[in-house]
């Protein structure tokens, strides 16, 4: 539960800053309890830039022990590197940078005597970093650390079958999964290209680093643990190219109560 609380805290912090960014510039409501001083504090926490992005790249996992187990059953193993597709959100408060990412990983399928073996993974990560370059230039360079939760799936089934085989349902159809806790150390580099008024813009960047998987659960099929399959650790180098951007948002003025 403590793992989930840590990841949830990062996501909630990011969401809170995003909400503040939308509400700080609202017209003052006479029922509001915020004073001008409190509004000033909230303006200090207002995001200076935020955008969504899509990323493609690769991530390395430790598959050697799993491959040895598959080989003992006459099944081809998997290469360490997997294709990675990510969707995420980026938020900056001056030099502080927060990102949340959901990713899917896929390894090339293997076929052995009409037996198809597939390996997939997914994860959700929250990262926090600091831009070490000046804020007024087009490039950001941000070392970051992150926490995440992930899952691995392994499926073994026939590559093809006849209708009678499908009806008989006697062919192998193995699907097992395991959960994992993830940590990351990395660096983010962005080239930021805003419009002249900075209300919209385009971003292209790179995320790279090393991921660790300090904790993994047992493998399961439904609710039954599988005891003789080695863990897959999503531990190794990763890199991806990201493309994102932002567009104008409605702007409202803020008024404070007199005397505050």
């Amino acid at each position: 539960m403590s793992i989930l609380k840590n990841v949830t805290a990062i996501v909630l912090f990011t969401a809170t800053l995003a909400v503040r960014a939308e509400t700080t510039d609202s017209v003052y409501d006479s029922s509001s309890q915020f004073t001008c001083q409190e509004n000033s504090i909230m303006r200090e926490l207002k995001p200076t830039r935020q955008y969504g992005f899509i990323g493609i790249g690769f991530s390395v996992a430790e598959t050697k022990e799993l491959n040895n187990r598959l080989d003992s059953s006459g099944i081809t193993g998997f290469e360490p590197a997997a294709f990675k597709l990510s969707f995420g959100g980026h938020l900056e408060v001056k030099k502080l940078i927060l990102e949340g990412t959901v990713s899917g990983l896929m390894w090339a399928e293997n076929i052995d005597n009409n037996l198809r073996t597939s390996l997939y993974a997914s994860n959700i990560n929250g990262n926090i970093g600091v831009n070490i370059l000046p804020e007024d230039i087009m490039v950001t360079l941000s070392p970051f650390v992150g926490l995440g939760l992930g899952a691995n799936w392994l499926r073994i089934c026939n590559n093809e079958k006849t209708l009678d085989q499908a009806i008989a349902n006697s062919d192998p159809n193995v699907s097992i999964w395991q959960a994992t806790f993830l940590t990351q150390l990395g660096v983010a580099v962005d080239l930021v290209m805003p419009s002249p008024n900075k209300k919209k813009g385009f971003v292209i960047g790179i995320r790279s680093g090393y991921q660790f998987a300090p904790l993994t659960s047992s493998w399961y099929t439904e609710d039954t643990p599988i005891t003789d399959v080695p863990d897959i650790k999503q531990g190794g180098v990763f890199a991806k190219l990201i493309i994102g951007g932002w567009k104008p948002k409605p702007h409202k003025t803020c008024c404070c109560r007199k005397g505050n």
Side-chain angles (χ1 to χ4, degrees):
M1 292 298 293
S2 60
I3 293 172
L4 184 59
K5 288 180 179 179
N6 288 335
V7 177
T8 303
I10 293 174
V11 175
L12 289 178
F13 182 49
T14 303
T16 300
L17 290 176
V19 170
R20 291 301 186 189
E22 297 296 328
T23 58
T24 302
D25 287 341
S26 300
V27 176
Y28 179 78
D29 185 346
S30 60
S31 64
S32 173
Q33 299 300 312
F34 288 122
T35 65
C36 287
Q37 182 178 4
E38 289 169 333
N39 280 333
S40 176
I41 294 174
M42 298 318 302
R43 287 186 179 278
E44 288 296 317
L45 295 177
K46 180 180 177 180
T48 49
R49 181 164 46 234
Q50 57 188 125
Y51 58 83
F53 62 83
I54 182 173
I56 55 172
F58 73 91
S59 186
V60 172
E62 298 175 15
T63 59
K64 182 177 179 180
E65 293 185 5
L66 174 65
N67 288 344
N68 291 338
R69 177 64 182 87
L70 293 175
D71 183 66
S72 69
S73 298
I75 299 174
T76 303
F78 297 92
E79 295 294 331
F83 171 77
K84 187 173 187 177
L85 175 65
S86 303
F87 298 91
H90 174 104
L91 184 147
E92 299 177 26
V93 182
K94 296 184 177 179
K95 285 184 171 293
L96 178 68
I97 294 179
L98 300 173
E99 284 190 348
T101 308
V102 176
S103 302
L105 293 82
M106 180 176 66
W107 283 259
E109 291 184 329
N110 296 317
I111 299 177
D112 301 280
N113 297 322
N114 200 40
L115 200 64
R116 184 171 76 246
T117 311
S118 307
L119 181 62
Y120 306 96
S122 66
N123 52 57
I124 178 171
N125 296 89
N127 297 330
I128 182 169
V130 177
N131 178 22
I132 61 176
L133 298 180
E135 297 177 51
D136 57 351
I137 64 175
M138 294 177 59
V139 179
T140 65
L141 175 63
S142 312
F144 65 81
V145 296
L147 298 175
L149 296 173
N152 307 316
W153 286 275
L154 176 67
R155 186 170 185 233
I156 304 173
C157 64
N158 279 115
N159 185 48
E160 59 184 16
K161 61 178 66 176
T162 66
L163 178 60
D164 289 340
Q165 289 173 331
I167 293 173
N169 196 28
S170 59
D171 296 314
N173 187 10
V174 178
S175 182
I176 61 176
W177 66 276
Q178 70 173 167
T180 180
F181 170 55
L182 306 170
T183 62
Q184 289 184 344
L185 292 174
V187 62
V189 180
D190 282 348
L191 175 62
V192 184
M193 293 166 279
S195 63
N197 60 11
K198 297 185 179 182
K199 292 184 178 180
K200 60 182 179 179
F202 177 76
V203 178
I204 183 169
I206 294 174
R207 305 288 183 270
S208 63
Y210 198 95
Q211 182 166 265
F212 304 87
L215 296 174
T216 55
S217 74
S218 299
W219 287 96
Y220 286 87
T221 175
E222 297 181 349
D223 294 328
T224 304
I226 306 299
T227 59
D228 64 341
V229 179
D231 295 335
I232 294 177
K233 292 186 179 296
Q234 292 187 42
V237 297
F238 66 88
K240 63 185 175 185
L241 174 72
I242 70 106
I243 298 174
W246 70 96
K247 60 182 180 180
K249 294 183 178 180
H251 179 74
K252 298 179 182 179
T253 58
C254 174
C255 300
C256 296
R257 288 177 294 181
K258 293 182 179 180
N260 292 314

